[in-house]
Amino acid sequence: MDPQCFNGKAEMEPETTAAAGFIASLLRTRGFLTELQLQKFSKSLQEALADHYKQHWFPDRPQKGSGYRCIRINHEMDPLIGKSASRIGLSSQQLFHLLPKELTLWIDPFEVSYRIGEDGSTCVLYETEVPAASASSSNASAYNPMLMCKQQLLMGRRSPPKNYLMTVSS
């Protein structure tokens, strides 16, 4: 076992909570599930993520294991989402109707981000500063389901959109 790996569920709770809350919010938009079902789904997914990532969580090297911690829906349902959905009576086929056809969710120490579609923009759901080795607390910006990707892009766009055309004349 890698000594740099932190396997306590509390170590990754903000990130797994943000990820599970985001997927639950996508399910909520369709109005098909009750609030109780959504809460049960979210809790189940959060626990499944924490359990699945317990030997693949490296706060000292957040990018290590990033591919393993990637949630992906693309012609196949991610098994962790499918398992949590089955606990509230949803089949994979129902999930495909309720969730985006293509979704990528990266759950890394200190950051959770997602992309809808292959060519979509990457949006940050949760981000906190990487604490210094001696720091005991961090400043986190909690997941806010009301702050959508478009709003984030408008607030902090660093590059022009894909459909932006720049011409040079001489």
Side-chain angles (χ1 to χ4, degrees):
M1 181 165 77
D2 189 331
Q4 301 298 321
C5 178
F6 289 61
N7 58 17
K9 289 182 181 181
E11 293 285 334
M12 62 184 86
E13 186 174 356
E15 293 87 346
T16 58
T17 299
F22 175 67
I23 299 295
S25 72
L26 291 175
L27 293 172
R28 180 180 287 115
T29 61
R30 300 293 182 134
F32 180 73
L33 302 171
T34 67
E35 199 57 38
L36 184 61
Q37 287 176 303
L38 290 167
Q39 288 173 3
K40 186 175 179 182
F41 170 83
S42 185
K43 183 177 186 212
S44 174
L45 183 56
Q46 184 179 349
E47 290 171 358
L49 292 170
D51 187 55
H52 191 67
Y53 299 161
K54 66 184 173 187
Q55 298 300 319
H56 299 272
W57 196 256
F58 306 94
D60 290 348
R61 292 174 285 157
Q63 295 305 310
K64 181 178 179 180
S66 185
Y68 183 84
R69 295 185 307 269
C70 179
I71 297 283
R72 189 90 168 106
I73 299 172
N74 187 7
H75 311 294
E76 289 186 26
M77 183 54 58
D78 184 89
L80 296 175
I81 294 175
K83 181 179 173 184
S84 295
S86 70
R87 291 188 176 164
I88 61 167
L90 282 178
S91 68
S92 287
Q93 289 179 348
Q94 289 171 311
L95 277 175
F96 277 118
H97 290 295
L98 296 171
L99 294 173
K101 301 269 186 251
E102 293 182 358
L103 172 69
T104 307
L105 183 65
W106 295 276
I107 305 164
D108 295 319
F110 316 114
E111 182 176 298
V112 177
S113 54
Y114 73 96
R115 181 184 68 212
I116 295 176
E118 287 298 316
D119 298 322
S121 298
T122 299
C123 302
V124 176
L125 293 172
Y126 169 88
E127 183 175 34
T128 187
E129 291 182 25
V130 177
S134 61
S136 61
S137 64
S138 62
N139 298 323
S141 62
Y143 167 66
N144 179 353
M146 299 307 290
L147 185 61
M148 300 309 289
C149 179
K150 185 175 180 182
Q151 292 169 323
Q152 291 175 354
L153 289 174
L154 292 175
M155 290 188 316
R157 179 175 289 282
R158 291 189 177 95
S159 61
K162 282 188 173 186
N163 62 356
Y164 181 78
L165 179 62
M166 183 181 288
T167 59
V168 178
S169 61
S170 54

